[in-house]
Amino acid sequence: LLPPDRLRALLVAEAELGERIMRALILRRVNLIQDGAGGPVLIGPSNSVGVVRLQGFLTRNGQPHHLLDPDRDRDAAELIARYLPKPEDWPLVVTADGARELGLVRIAQHRAIGMIGGAKGDRIYDVAVVGCGPAGLATAVYAASEGLSVAVLDTRAFGGQAGASARIENYLGFPTGISGQALTARAFTQAQKFGADIM
């Protein structure tokens, strides 16, 4: 019922309600990722280089996905035989709208995932942040929270090197440590809450 810009304004203006909505959205996303529900279906052997690369890409970007391994699933084996005769073409990726895609860039560009966008219309941004590591995400949060229009660009995934760290123990506010993915995912969500466009 609320367009995204008005929902963002509500999240910021109504702190208690905003916290409850953000927590619900975050927990929903975590459940989708953990359960492998929603998002694209990858079809290919789990030990294939292409499958491993694409799974890593989707995981680092917080995208839910599901893997069907033809060694364990007869339907997946039939699809592989029909559409991907050569192992170097693995994986086959099927999106919710039935599209079959190949390659990281094509998957990222797919509208159902929406990772590669671009400026909306003729929009001119106040701030362009190149690099989506902790410093870039912090810049996006601070600028967007002050009402500036912010575009954040990265070539691979949010979080940078920190996002791939298994444990960060020297970051302010986390005395017991936190995984890099968890830390940078929080910053990514916070930047989006204030309206930063992350591409």
Side-chain angles (χ1 to χ4, degrees), residues 66-83:
H66 181 70
L67 174 66
L68 293 178
D69 189 331
D71 294 336
R72 298 186 192 104
D73 187 297
R74 195 177 76 214
D75 292 334
E78 289 174 11
L79 285 168
I80 288 284
R82 182 180 305 157
Y83 294 109

Side-chain angles (χ1 to χ4, degrees), residues 55-126:
Q55 274 191 303
F57 173 75
L58 292 170
T59 300
R60 283 282 312 273
N61 282 286
Q63 295 290 330
H65 60 279
H66 181 70
L67 174 66
L68 293 178
D69 189 331
D71 294 336
R72 298 186 192 104
D73 187 297
R74 195 177 76 214
D75 292 334
E78 289 174 11
L79 285 168
I80 288 284
R82 182 180 305 157
Y83 294 109
L84 296 173
K86 298 179 292 196
E88 58 267 22
D89 291 337
W90 293 340
L92 173 65
V93 181
V94 181
T95 58
D97 61 4
R100 291 187 300 271
E101 302 284 356
L102 296 173
L104 292 180
V105 174
R106 292 289 303 268
I107 298 306
Q109 287 175 330
H110 196 277
R111 65 182 165 74
I113 294 177
M115 291 173 57
I116 297 177
K120 294 178 175 95
D122 293 333
R123 183 171 186 183
I124 296 174
Y125 290 92
D126 298 316

